[in-house]
Short mmCIF file of all heavy atoms in Angstrom, two decimals:
data_model
loop_
_atom_site.label_atom_id
_atom_site.label_comp_id
_atom_site.label_asym_id
_atom_site.label_seq_id
_atom_site.Cartn_x
_atom_site.Cartn_y
_atom_site.Cartn_z
N MET D 104 13.45 17.49 1.48
CA MET D 104 12.21 17.31 0.73
C MET D 104 11.02 17.18 1.69
O MET D 104 9.97 17.79 1.50
CB MET D 104 12.30 16.07 -0.16
CG MET D 104 11.11 15.91 -1.08
SD MET D 104 11.29 14.49 -2.18
CE MET D 104 10.77 13.17 -1.11
N ILE D 105 11.22 16.40 2.77
CA ILE D 105 10.14 16.21 3.75
C ILE D 105 9.84 17.52 4.46
O ILE D 105 8.68 17.87 4.68
CB ILE D 105 10.52 15.10 4.75
CG1 ILE D 105 10.36 13.75 4.06
CG2 ILE D 105 9.66 15.16 6.00
CD1 ILE D 105 10.79 12.57 4.86
N LYS D 106 10.90 18.29 4.77
CA LYS D 106 10.72 19.59 5.41
C LYS D 106 9.90 20.52 4.50
O LYS D 106 8.98 21.22 4.94
CB LYS D 106 12.10 20.20 5.68
CG LYS D 106 12.10 21.37 6.65
CD LYS D 106 13.52 21.77 6.96
CE LYS D 106 13.56 23.07 7.72
NZ LYS D 106 14.94 23.54 7.87
N THR D 107 10.22 20.49 3.20
CA THR D 107 9.50 21.32 2.22
C THR D 107 8.05 20.88 2.12
O THR D 107 7.13 21.71 2.06
CB THR D 107 10.17 21.21 0.84
OG1 THR D 107 11.54 21.59 0.97
CG2 THR D 107 9.50 22.12 -0.18
N MET D 108 7.83 19.54 2.12
CA MET D 108 6.46 19.01 2.03
C MET D 108 5.64 19.43 3.25
O MET D 108 4.48 19.82 3.13
CB MET D 108 6.49 17.48 1.95
CG MET D 108 6.79 16.94 0.56
SD MET D 108 7.12 15.16 0.60
CE MET D 108 5.58 14.53 1.24
N GLU D 109 6.26 19.35 4.43
CA GLU D 109 5.54 19.72 5.66
C GLU D 109 5.19 21.20 5.66
O GLU D 109 4.11 21.60 6.09
CB GLU D 109 6.40 19.36 6.89
CG GLU D 109 6.49 17.86 7.12
CD GLU D 109 7.34 17.49 8.32
OE1 GLU D 109 7.94 18.40 8.93
OE2 GLU D 109 7.41 16.30 8.63
N LYS D 110 6.13 22.03 5.17
CA LYS D 110 5.88 23.48 5.10
C LYS D 110 4.74 23.76 4.13
O LYS D 110 3.85 24.56 4.40
CB LYS D 110 7.16 24.19 4.65
CG LYS D 110 7.05 25.70 4.67
CD LYS D 110 8.42 26.36 4.49
CE LYS D 110 8.28 27.87 4.54
NZ LYS D 110 8.43 28.53 3.29
N ALA D 111 4.76 23.06 2.97
CA ALA D 111 3.70 23.25 1.97
C ALA D 111 2.35 22.83 2.53
O ALA D 111 1.33 23.47 2.29
CB ALA D 111 4.03 22.46 0.71
N ASP D 112 2.35 21.73 3.30
CA ASP D 112 1.10 21.27 3.92
C ASP D 112 0.54 22.32 4.85
O ASP D 112 -0.65 22.61 4.85
CB ASP D 112 1.33 19.97 4.70
CG ASP D 112 1.17 18.74 3.82
OD1 ASP D 112 0.33 18.79 2.91
OD2 ASP D 112 1.89 17.76 4.03
N ALA D 113 1.43 22.90 5.69
CA ALA D 113 0.98 23.93 6.64
C ALA D 113 0.46 25.16 5.90
O ALA D 113 -0.56 25.75 6.28
CB ALA D 113 2.13 24.31 7.56
N GLU D 114 1.16 25.52 4.81
CA GLU D 114 0.76 26.72 4.06
C GLU D 114 -0.52 26.49 3.27
O GLU D 114 -1.27 27.43 3.00
CB GLU D 114 1.89 27.14 3.12
CG GLU D 114 3.05 27.79 3.87
CD GLU D 114 4.24 28.10 2.97
OE1 GLU D 114 4.18 27.72 1.78
OE2 GLU D 114 5.21 28.70 3.45
N SER D 115 -0.76 25.23 2.87
CA SER D 115 -1.96 24.96 2.06
C SER D 115 -3.21 24.91 2.93
O SER D 115 -4.32 24.97 2.43
CB SER D 115 -1.80 23.62 1.31
OG SER D 115 -1.80 22.54 2.23
N ARG D 116 -3.02 24.79 4.22
CA ARG D 116 -4.17 24.81 5.14
C ARG D 116 -4.74 26.22 5.11
O ARG D 116 -4.01 27.19 5.37
CB ARG D 116 -3.67 24.44 6.52
CG ARG D 116 -4.74 24.22 7.56
CD ARG D 116 -4.04 23.84 8.85
NE ARG D 116 -5.00 23.60 9.92
CZ ARG D 116 -4.65 23.32 11.16
NH1 ARG D 116 -3.37 23.26 11.48
NH2 ARG D 116 -5.56 23.11 12.08
N PRO D 117 -6.02 26.38 4.84
CA PRO D 117 -6.57 27.73 4.64
C PRO D 117 -6.84 28.51 5.92
O PRO D 117 -7.34 29.61 5.88
CB PRO D 117 -7.88 27.45 3.90
CG PRO D 117 -8.29 26.10 4.37
CD PRO D 117 -7.01 25.32 4.59
N TYR D 118 -6.50 27.93 7.08
CA TYR D 118 -6.78 28.64 8.31
C TYR D 118 -5.78 28.28 9.41
O TYR D 118 -5.06 27.29 9.33
CB TYR D 118 -8.20 28.30 8.81
CG TYR D 118 -8.43 26.82 9.02
CD1 TYR D 118 -8.11 26.21 10.23
CD2 TYR D 118 -8.95 26.02 8.01
CE1 TYR D 118 -8.30 24.86 10.42
CE2 TYR D 118 -9.15 24.67 8.19
CZ TYR D 118 -8.82 24.09 9.40
OH TYR D 118 -9.00 22.73 9.59
N GLU D 119 -5.77 29.12 10.44
CA GLU D 119 -4.98 28.86 11.64
C GLU D 119 -5.97 28.59 12.76
O GLU D 119 -6.94 29.33 12.95
CB GLU D 119 -4.14 30.11 11.97
CG GLU D 119 -3.36 29.99 13.26
CD GLU D 119 -2.70 31.31 13.66
OE1 GLU D 119 -3.31 32.38 13.41
OE2 GLU D 119 -1.61 31.28 14.24
N PHE D 120 -5.75 27.52 13.52
CA PHE D 120 -6.68 27.14 14.58
C PHE D 120 -5.99 27.27 15.94
O PHE D 120 -4.91 26.71 16.15
CB PHE D 120 -7.14 25.69 14.35
CG PHE D 120 -8.04 25.16 15.43
CD1 PHE D 120 -9.17 25.87 15.83
CD2 PHE D 120 -7.77 23.95 16.05
CE1 PHE D 120 -10.01 25.38 16.82
CE2 PHE D 120 -8.61 23.44 17.03
CZ PHE D 120 -9.73 24.16 17.42
N LEU D 121 -6.60 28.04 16.83
CA LEU D 121 -6.03 28.27 18.16
C LEU D 121 -6.99 27.80 19.24
O LEU D 121 -8.15 28.21 19.27
CB LEU D 121 -5.74 29.77 18.36
CG LEU D 121 -4.90 30.46 17.28
CD1 LEU D 121 -4.91 31.96 17.49
CD2 LEU D 121 -3.47 29.93 17.28
N ASN D 122 -6.48 26.90 20.12
CA ASN D 122 -7.29 26.49 21.27
C ASN D 122 -6.37 25.87 22.32
O ASN D 122 -5.25 25.45 22.02
CB ASN D 122 -8.40 25.53 20.85
CG ASN D 122 -7.98 24.07 20.77
OD1 ASN D 122 -8.46 23.22 21.51
ND2 ASN D 122 -7.07 23.74 19.85
N THR D 123 -6.84 25.83 23.57
CA THR D 123 -6.07 25.21 24.65
C THR D 123 -6.98 24.25 25.40
O THR D 123 -8.20 24.26 25.22
CB THR D 123 -5.54 26.26 25.64
OG1 THR D 123 -6.66 26.93 26.24
CG2 THR D 123 -4.64 27.28 24.96
N CYS D 124 -6.37 23.41 26.27
CA CYS D 124 -7.19 22.43 26.99
C CYS D 124 -7.95 23.06 28.16
O CYS D 124 -9.00 22.56 28.57
CB CYS D 124 -6.34 21.26 27.49
SG CYS D 124 -5.00 21.74 28.57
N ASP D 125 -7.44 24.16 28.71
CA ASP D 125 -8.09 24.73 29.90
C ASP D 125 -9.04 25.89 29.60
O ASP D 125 -9.60 26.49 30.50
CB ASP D 125 -7.03 25.17 30.92
CG ASP D 125 -6.00 26.12 30.33
OD1 ASP D 125 -6.05 26.32 29.11
OD2 ASP D 125 -5.17 26.65 31.08
N GLN D 126 -9.24 26.20 28.33
CA GLN D 126 -10.18 27.26 27.95
C GLN D 126 -11.21 26.71 26.98
O GLN D 126 -10.92 25.84 26.17
CB GLN D 126 -9.44 28.41 27.24
CG GLN D 126 -8.41 29.12 28.10
CD GLN D 126 -9.05 30.06 29.10
OE1 GLN D 126 -10.09 30.63 28.84
NE2 GLN D 126 -8.43 30.22 30.26
N THR D 127 -12.43 27.22 27.07
CA THR D 127 -13.45 26.78 26.09
C THR D 127 -13.40 27.64 24.83
O THR D 127 -13.87 27.23 23.78
CB THR D 127 -14.87 26.87 26.71
OG1 THR D 127 -15.09 28.19 27.19
CG2 THR D 127 -15.05 25.86 27.83
N ASP D 128 -12.80 28.84 24.95
CA ASP D 128 -12.72 29.73 23.78
C ASP D 128 -11.78 29.18 22.72
O ASP D 128 -10.69 28.68 23.03
CB ASP D 128 -12.21 31.11 24.20
CG ASP D 128 -13.20 31.84 25.10
OD1 ASP D 128 -14.36 31.39 25.16
OD2 ASP D 128 -12.82 32.83 25.73
N MET D 129 -12.18 29.28 21.46
CA MET D 129 -11.35 28.85 20.33
C MET D 129 -11.40 29.94 19.26
O MET D 129 -12.40 30.64 19.14
CB MET D 129 -11.85 27.54 19.73
CG MET D 129 -11.94 26.39 20.70
SD MET D 129 -12.49 24.87 19.88
CE MET D 129 -14.19 25.27 19.49
N THR D 130 -10.32 30.05 18.49
CA THR D 130 -10.26 31.04 17.41
C THR D 130 -9.80 30.37 16.13
O THR D 130 -8.87 29.56 16.14
CB THR D 130 -9.27 32.17 17.77
OG1 THR D 130 -9.66 32.75 19.02
CG2 THR D 130 -9.28 33.25 16.69
N VAL D 131 -10.46 30.73 15.03
CA VAL D 131 -10.03 30.28 13.71
C VAL D 131 -9.75 31.53 12.88
O VAL D 131 -10.62 32.39 12.72
CB VAL D 131 -11.11 29.43 13.00
CG1 VAL D 131 -10.65 29.03 11.60
CG2 VAL D 131 -11.43 28.18 13.82
N ASN D 132 -8.50 31.66 12.40
CA ASN D 132 -8.12 32.79 11.55
C ASN D 132 -8.01 32.31 10.11
O ASN D 132 -7.22 31.41 9.81
CB ASN D 132 -6.76 33.36 11.99
CG ASN D 132 -6.82 33.96 13.38
OD1 ASN D 132 -7.79 34.60 13.74
ND2 ASN D 132 -5.78 33.75 14.17
N ILE D 133 -8.80 32.88 9.23
CA ILE D 133 -8.80 32.48 7.81
C ILE D 133 -8.26 33.62 6.96
O ILE D 133 -8.78 34.74 7.00
CB ILE D 133 -10.23 32.12 7.35
CG1 ILE D 133 -10.80 30.97 8.19
CG2 ILE D 133 -10.24 31.76 5.86
CD1 ILE D 133 -12.25 30.65 7.90
N ARG D 134 -7.20 33.35 6.20
CA ARG D 134 -6.67 34.36 5.28
C ARG D 134 -7.68 34.61 4.17
O ARG D 134 -8.17 33.66 3.55
CB ARG D 134 -5.33 33.89 4.68
CG ARG D 134 -4.21 33.82 5.69
CD ARG D 134 -2.89 33.46 5.02
NE ARG D 134 -2.89 32.12 4.45
CZ ARG D 134 -2.61 31.02 5.13
NH1 ARG D 134 -2.30 31.10 6.41
NH2 ARG D 134 -2.62 29.84 4.54
N VAL D 135 -8.00 35.87 3.92
CA VAL D 135 -8.98 36.21 2.88
C VAL D 135 -8.41 37.30 1.98
O VAL D 135 -7.45 37.99 2.35
CB VAL D 135 -10.32 36.69 3.51
CG1 VAL D 135 -11.00 35.57 4.27
CG2 VAL D 135 -10.11 37.90 4.42
N PRO D 136 -8.98 37.47 0.77
CA PRO D 136 -8.50 38.53 -0.13
C PRO D 136 -8.56 39.91 0.53
O PRO D 136 -9.44 40.18 1.35
CB PRO D 136 -9.46 38.45 -1.32
CG PRO D 136 -9.97 37.04 -1.31
CD PRO D 136 -10.05 36.66 0.14
N ALA D 137 -7.61 40.78 0.15
CA ALA D 137 -7.49 42.11 0.76
C ALA D 137 -8.77 42.92 0.69
O ALA D 137 -9.10 43.70 1.60
CB ALA D 137 -6.35 42.88 0.08
N GLU D 138 -9.55 42.73 -0.40
CA GLU D 138 -10.76 43.56 -0.60
C GLU D 138 -12.00 42.99 0.09
O GLU D 138 -13.10 43.55 -0.01
CB GLU D 138 -11.03 43.72 -2.10
CG GLU D 138 -11.37 42.44 -2.85
CD GLU D 138 -10.17 41.60 -3.26
OE1 GLU D 138 -9.03 41.96 -2.87
OE2 GLU D 138 -10.35 40.60 -3.96
N THR D 139 -11.86 41.89 0.83
CA THR D 139 -13.01 41.23 1.45
C THR D 139 -13.74 42.14 2.44
O THR D 139 -13.12 42.76 3.31
CB THR D 139 -12.58 39.94 2.17
OG1 THR D 139 -11.92 39.08 1.24
CG2 THR D 139 -13.77 39.20 2.76
N GLN D 140 -15.07 42.22 2.30
CA GLN D 140 -15.93 42.95 3.23
C GLN D 140 -16.91 41.95 3.85
O GLN D 140 -17.07 40.83 3.37
CB GLN D 140 -16.70 44.05 2.49
CG GLN D 140 -15.81 45.08 1.80
CD GLN D 140 -14.93 45.85 2.77
OE1 GLN D 140 -15.36 46.21 3.85
NE2 GLN D 140 -13.67 46.07 2.36
N MET D 141 -17.62 42.37 4.90
CA MET D 141 -18.55 41.48 5.59
C MET D 141 -19.62 40.93 4.64
O MET D 141 -20.06 39.80 4.78
CB MET D 141 -19.22 42.20 6.77
CG MET D 141 -18.29 42.40 7.95
SD MET D 141 -17.71 40.86 8.73
CE MET D 141 -19.08 40.49 9.84
N LYS D 142 -20.02 41.74 3.64
CA LYS D 142 -21.06 41.28 2.70
C LYS D 142 -20.55 40.13 1.81
O LYS D 142 -21.33 39.43 1.19
CB LYS D 142 -21.55 42.45 1.83
CG LYS D 142 -20.48 43.06 0.93
CD LYS D 142 -21.03 44.22 0.11
CE LYS D 142 -19.98 44.97 -0.68
NZ LYS D 142 -19.20 44.18 -1.61
N ASP D 143 -19.22 39.95 1.76
CA ASP D 143 -18.64 38.89 0.94
C ASP D 143 -18.53 37.57 1.69
O ASP D 143 -18.11 36.56 1.13
CB ASP D 143 -17.22 39.29 0.49
CG ASP D 143 -17.22 40.58 -0.32
OD1 ASP D 143 -18.13 40.74 -1.15
OD2 ASP D 143 -16.32 41.42 -0.09
N VAL D 144 -18.90 37.59 2.97
CA VAL D 144 -18.72 36.42 3.83
C VAL D 144 -20.06 35.81 4.22
O VAL D 144 -20.98 36.51 4.63
CB VAL D 144 -17.95 36.82 5.13
CG1 VAL D 144 -17.79 35.62 6.04
CG2 VAL D 144 -16.60 37.42 4.78
N LYS D 145 -20.16 34.47 4.06
CA LYS D 145 -21.34 33.75 4.52
C LYS D 145 -20.87 32.66 5.48
O LYS D 145 -20.03 31.83 5.10
CB LYS D 145 -22.05 33.07 3.34
CG LYS D 145 -23.01 33.93 2.59
CD LYS D 145 -23.77 33.06 1.60
CE LYS D 145 -24.48 33.92 0.56
NZ LYS D 145 -25.07 33.08 -0.50
N VAL D 146 -21.38 32.68 6.70
CA VAL D 146 -21.00 31.66 7.68
C VAL D 146 -22.26 31.02 8.25
O VAL D 146 -23.16 31.73 8.72
CB VAL D 146 -20.17 32.27 8.84
CG1 VAL D 146 -19.73 31.16 9.79
CG2 VAL D 146 -18.95 33.00 8.31
N LYS D 147 -22.31 29.70 8.20
CA LYS D 147 -23.44 28.99 8.80
C LYS D 147 -22.89 28.03 9.84
O LYS D 147 -22.05 27.18 9.53
CB LYS D 147 -24.21 28.22 7.73
CG LYS D 147 -25.47 27.58 8.28
CD LYS D 147 -26.26 26.85 7.23
CE LYS D 147 -27.51 26.22 7.86
NZ LYS D 147 -28.24 25.36 6.94
N VAL D 148 -23.33 28.21 11.09
CA VAL D 148 -22.83 27.38 12.20
C VAL D 148 -23.99 26.77 12.97
O VAL D 148 -24.97 27.45 13.27
CB VAL D 148 -21.96 28.24 13.15
CG1 VAL D 148 -21.71 27.53 14.47
CG2 VAL D 148 -20.62 28.56 12.51
N THR D 149 -23.88 25.47 13.26
CA THR D 149 -24.78 24.83 14.22
C THR D 149 -23.88 24.31 15.35
O THR D 149 -22.66 24.53 15.32
CB THR D 149 -25.54 23.64 13.59
OG1 THR D 149 -24.60 22.56 13.35
CG2 THR D 149 -26.20 24.03 12.28
N SER D 150 -24.44 23.62 16.31
CA SER D 150 -23.61 23.11 17.41
C SER D 150 -22.65 22.02 16.92
O SER D 150 -21.67 21.70 17.58
CB SER D 150 -24.49 22.56 18.53
OG SER D 150 -25.27 21.49 18.03
N LYS D 151 -22.94 21.46 15.73
CA LYS D 151 -22.11 20.35 15.23
C LYS D 151 -21.41 20.62 13.91
O LYS D 151 -20.45 19.92 13.57
CB LYS D 151 -22.98 19.10 15.07
CG LYS D 151 -23.52 18.56 16.37
CD LYS D 151 -24.39 17.34 16.14
CE LYS D 151 -24.91 16.80 17.46
NZ LYS D 151 -25.85 15.67 17.24
N THR D 152 -21.88 21.60 13.13
CA THR D 152 -21.31 21.80 11.79
C THR D 152 -20.96 23.26 11.52
O THR D 152 -21.47 24.17 12.17
CB THR D 152 -22.30 21.34 10.70
OG1 THR D 152 -23.48 22.16 10.77
CG2 THR D 152 -22.69 19.89 10.86
N ILE D 153 -20.10 23.44 10.53
CA ILE D 153 -19.72 24.79 10.11
C ILE D 153 -19.51 24.82 8.60
O ILE D 153 -19.02 23.86 8.01
CB ILE D 153 -18.43 25.28 10.83
CG1 ILE D 153 -18.10 26.73 10.41
CG2 ILE D 153 -17.25 24.34 10.56
CD1 ILE D 153 -17.05 27.39 11.28
#
Side-chain angles (χ1 to χ4, degrees):
M104 187 177 82
I105 284 175
K106 195 173 170 187
T107 304
M108 280 169 61
E109 289 180 355
K110 185 169 181 253
D112 272 326
E114 286 174 355
S115 68
R116 188 179 180 184
Y118 57 87
E119 175 189 35
F120 177 52
L121 308 170
N122 85 115
T123 62
C124 59
D125 54 353
Q126 297 284 329
T127 55
D128 294 346
M129 303 182 292
T130 304
V131 177
N132 296 320
I133 301 174
R134 292 185 295 275
V135 294
E138 64 278 6
T139 303
Q140 301 298 320
M141 286 297 276
K142 63 181 173 58
D143 301 318
V144 179
K145 275 189 195 172
V146 183
K147 186 178 180 187
V148 166
T149 70
S150 61
K151 294 179 180 175
T152 63
I153 183 168

